[in-house]
Amino acid sequence: MDNDKNYLGIDWGSVNIGVALAHEETKLALVYTTLKNDKDLLKRLGVIIVAENITTLVIGIPSYINRQEVEYEGEKLGRLIQNNFPMIVEYQNEMFTTKMAQVNLIERGVKEVSKHDDAEAARIILQEWLDAKK
């Protein structure tokens, strides 16, 4: 049943990973959490994937990456996830999402924007992917 599909969006960073969640039924991406990018990242993502019944992972990647010459860290994460969990991994252009996230948060009056911009960037990445699929 299509309404059982859940999506996880990832804003990959060398220090923090922003995470967003969306359900097929609403197609509305919501901020989920920010995770530390450390040795336990895959385990913590796995807990979320299982708990939220994730069927598709959407990872933001910079559009300037030359696909033949450079492998982006987010793509390595995507392969790791696919090797450990039965799901689809997709990639979405993430150019300017952190800047857009900061603007959104400032407009909403959020304090300490830098503590929240990774998860908001993940929400933007996932929402743009969802919107492109409509």
Side-chain angles (χ1 to χ4, degrees):
M1 197 168 140
D2 258 5
N3 288 346
D4 290 339
K5 291 182 183 177
N6 293 326
Y7 308 104
L8 204 65
I10 299 286
D11 177 46
W12 190 92
S14 58
V15 177
N16 292 313
I17 307 290
V19 182
L21 177 70
H23 302 286
E24 176 69 22
E25 191 175 0
T26 62
K27 290 194 172 49
L28 182 64
L30 302 170
V31 165
Y32 191 81
T33 191
T34 300
L35 302 173
K36 288 282 177 217
N37 188 350
D38 61 19
K39 64 178 179 56
D40 295 324
L41 175 64
L42 187 61
K43 184 169 78 174
R44 287 193 311 274
L45 279 173
V47 169
I48 295 169
I49 288 165
V50 170
E52 299 295 342
N53 192 30
I54 302 302
T55 57
T56 303
L57 179 70
V58 180
I59 301 174
I61 59 168
S63 64
Y64 59 81
I65 295 293
N66 181 326
R67 311 311 268 162
Q68 283 71 44
E69 296 175 17
V70 179
E71 179 178 54
Y72 180 62
E73 293 297 321
E75 292 173 305
K76 291 178 187 175
L77 176 64
R79 269 201 320 284
L80 265 176
I81 296 279
Q82 274 190 311
N83 289 339
N84 287 279
F85 302 96
M87 68 173 44
I88 298 164
V89 175
E90 302 257 345
Y91 300 94
Q92 174 67 30
N93 179 13
E94 69 163 5
M95 293 301 288
F96 308 114
T97 55
T98 299
K99 185 67 179 165
M100 288 187 289
Q102 291 168 345
V103 168
N104 289 353
L105 293 167
I106 289 166
E107 285 176 355
R108 283 190 253 154
V110 173
K111 304 292 183 217
E112 299 184 52
V113 167
S114 63
K115 287 185 178 180
H116 305 280
D117 62 357
D118 296 305
E120 176 65 10
R123 187 197 66 75
I124 293 167
I125 290 164
L126 184 53
Q127 191 63 59
E128 287 180 348
W129 181 85
L130 289 164
D131 291 348
K133 296 294 177 199
K134 288 182 182 174

